[in-house]
CSV table of all heavy atoms in Angstrom, one decimal:
chain,number,residue,atom,x,y,z
A,468,THR,N,-21.2,74.2,-31.6
A,468,THR,CA,-20.3,74.5,-30.5
A,468,THR,C,-19.4,73.3,-30.2
A,468,THR,O,-18.2,73.5,-30.1
A,468,THR,CB,-21.2,74.8,-29.2
A,468,THR,OG1,-22.0,75.9,-29.5
A,468,THR,CG2,-20.3,75.1,-28.0
A,469,ILE,N,-20.0,72.1,-30.1
A,469,ILE,CA,-19.2,70.9,-29.9
A,469,ILE,C,-18.2,70.7,-31.0
A,469,ILE,O,-17.0,70.4,-30.8
A,469,ILE,CB,-20.1,69.7,-29.6
A,469,ILE,CG1,-20.9,69.9,-28.3
A,469,ILE,CG2,-19.3,68.4,-29.6
A,469,ILE,CD1,-21.9,68.9,-28.1
A,470,ASN,N,-18.7,70.8,-32.2
A,470,ASN,CA,-17.8,70.6,-33.4
A,470,ASN,C,-16.7,71.7,-33.4
A,470,ASN,O,-15.5,71.4,-33.8
A,470,ASN,CB,-18.6,70.6,-34.7
A,470,ASN,CG,-19.5,69.4,-34.8
A,470,ASN,OD1,-19.2,68.4,-34.2
A,470,ASN,ND2,-20.5,69.5,-35.6
A,471,GLY,N,-17.0,72.9,-33.1
A,471,GLY,CA,-16.1,74.0,-33.2
A,471,GLY,C,-15.0,73.8,-32.1
A,471,GLY,O,-13.8,74.0,-32.4
A,472,LEU,N,-15.4,73.4,-30.9
A,472,LEU,CA,-14.4,73.2,-29.9
A,472,LEU,C,-13.4,72.1,-30.3
A,472,LEU,O,-12.2,72.1,-30.1
A,472,LEU,CB,-15.1,72.9,-28.6
A,472,LEU,CG,-15.7,74.0,-27.9
A,472,LEU,CD1,-16.6,73.6,-26.7
A,472,LEU,CD2,-14.7,75.0,-27.3
A,473,ARG,N,-14.0,71.0,-30.9
A,473,ARG,CA,-13.1,69.9,-31.3
A,473,ARG,C,-12.2,70.3,-32.4
A,473,ARG,O,-11.0,69.9,-32.3
A,473,ARG,CB,-14.0,68.7,-31.8
A,473,ARG,CG,-13.2,67.4,-32.0
A,473,ARG,CD,-14.1,66.3,-32.4
A,473,ARG,NE,-14.6,66.4,-33.8
A,473,ARG,CZ,-15.9,66.7,-34.1
A,473,ARG,NH1,-16.7,66.9,-33.1
A,473,ARG,NH2,-16.3,66.8,-35.3
A,474,ARG,N,-12.6,71.1,-33.3
A,474,ARG,CA,-11.8,71.5,-34.4
A,474,ARG,C,-10.7,72.4,-33.9
A,474,ARG,O,-9.6,72.5,-34.5
A,474,ARG,CB,-12.6,72.2,-35.5
A,474,ARG,CG,-13.4,71.3,-36.4
A,474,ARG,CD,-13.9,72.0,-37.7
A,474,ARG,NE,-14.8,73.0,-37.4
A,474,ARG,CZ,-16.1,72.9,-37.4
A,474,ARG,NH1,-16.7,71.7,-37.6
A,474,ARG,NH2,-16.9,73.9,-37.1
A,475,GLU,N,-10.9,73.1,-32.8
A,475,GLU,CA,-9.9,74.0,-32.3
A,475,GLU,C,-9.0,73.3,-31.3
A,475,GLU,O,-8.2,73.9,-30.6
A,475,GLU,CB,-10.5,75.2,-31.6
A,475,GLU,CG,-11.2,76.1,-32.6
A,475,GLU,CD,-11.7,77.4,-31.9
A,475,GLU,OE1,-11.4,77.6,-30.7
A,475,GLU,OE2,-12.4,78.2,-32.6
A,476,GLY,N,-9.1,71.9,-31.2
A,476,GLY,CA,-8.2,71.2,-30.3
A,476,GLY,C,-8.7,71.3,-28.9
A,476,GLY,O,-7.9,71.1,-27.9
A,477,ARG,N,-10.0,71.6,-28.6
A,477,ARG,CA,-10.5,71.7,-27.3
A,477,ARG,C,-11.7,70.8,-27.1
A,477,ARG,O,-12.7,71.1,-26.6
A,477,ARG,CB,-11.0,73.2,-27.1
A,477,ARG,CG,-9.9,74.2,-27.3
A,477,ARG,CD,-10.5,75.6,-27.2
A,477,ARG,NE,-9.5,76.6,-27.6
A,477,ARG,CZ,-8.6,77.2,-26.8
A,477,ARG,NH1,-8.6,76.8,-25.5
A,477,ARG,NH2,-7.8,78.1,-27.2
A,478,GLU,N,-11.4,69.5,-27.4
A,478,GLU,CA,-12.5,68.5,-27.3
A,478,GLU,C,-13.2,68.5,-25.9
A,478,GLU,O,-12.5,68.5,-24.9
A,478,GLU,CB,-11.8,67.1,-27.5
A,478,GLU,CG,-12.9,66.0,-27.6
A,478,GLU,CD,-12.2,64.6,-27.9
A,478,GLU,OE1,-11.4,64.2,-27.0
A,478,GLU,OE2,-12.5,64.0,-28.9
A,479,PHE,N,-14.5,68.7,-26.0
A,479,PHE,CA,-15.2,69.0,-24.7
A,479,PHE,C,-15.9,67.7,-24.2
A,479,PHE,O,-16.8,67.2,-24.8
A,479,PHE,CB,-16.3,70.0,-25.0
A,479,PHE,CG,-16.9,70.6,-23.7
A,479,PHE,CD1,-16.4,71.8,-23.2
A,479,PHE,CD2,-17.9,69.9,-23.1
A,479,PHE,CE1,-17.0,72.3,-22.0
A,479,PHE,CE2,-18.4,70.4,-21.9
A,479,PHE,CZ,-18.0,71.6,-21.4
A,480,LYS,N,-15.4,67.2,-23.1
A,480,LYS,CA,-16.0,66.0,-22.4
A,480,LYS,C,-16.5,66.5,-21.1
A,480,LYS,O,-15.8,66.9,-20.2
A,480,LYS,CB,-15.0,64.9,-22.2
A,480,LYS,CG,-14.5,64.3,-23.5
A,480,LYS,CD,-13.6,63.1,-23.2
A,480,LYS,CE,-13.1,62.5,-24.5
A,480,LYS,NZ,-12.1,61.4,-24.2
A,481,GLY,N,-17.8,66.5,-20.9
A,481,GLY,CA,-18.4,67.0,-19.7
A,481,GLY,C,-19.8,67.6,-20.0
A,481,GLY,O,-20.5,67.2,-20.9
A,482,VAL,N,-20.2,68.6,-19.2
A,482,VAL,CA,-21.5,69.2,-19.3
A,482,VAL,C,-21.3,70.6,-20.0
A,482,VAL,O,-20.6,71.4,-19.4
A,482,VAL,CB,-22.3,69.4,-18.0
A,482,VAL,CG1,-23.5,70.3,-18.2
A,482,VAL,CG2,-22.7,68.0,-17.5
A,483,LEU,N,-21.9,70.8,-21.1
A,483,LEU,CA,-21.9,72.1,-21.8
A,483,LEU,C,-23.3,72.7,-21.5
A,483,LEU,O,-24.3,72.0,-21.7
A,483,LEU,CB,-21.7,72.0,-23.3
A,483,LEU,CG,-21.6,73.3,-24.1
A,483,LEU,CD1,-20.3,74.0,-23.7
A,483,LEU,CD2,-21.7,73.0,-25.6
A,484,TYR,N,-23.3,73.9,-20.9
A,484,TYR,CA,-24.5,74.4,-20.4
A,484,TYR,C,-24.7,75.9,-20.9
A,484,TYR,O,-24.4,76.8,-20.2
A,484,TYR,CB,-24.4,74.3,-18.9
A,484,TYR,CG,-25.3,75.2,-18.0
A,484,TYR,CD1,-26.6,75.4,-18.3
A,484,TYR,CD2,-24.8,75.8,-16.9
A,484,TYR,CE1,-27.4,76.2,-17.5
A,484,TYR,CE2,-25.5,76.6,-16.1
A,484,TYR,CZ,-26.9,76.8,-16.4
A,484,TYR,OH,-27.6,77.6,-15.5
Side-chain angles (χ1 to χ4, degrees):
T468 300
I469 292 172
N470 291 338
L472 287 168
R473 189 177 71 254
R474 284 197 294 269
E475 293 189 8
R477 303 176 188 273
E478 187 177 64
F479 192 99
K480 295 181 179 180
V482 169
L483 184 69
Y484 160 44

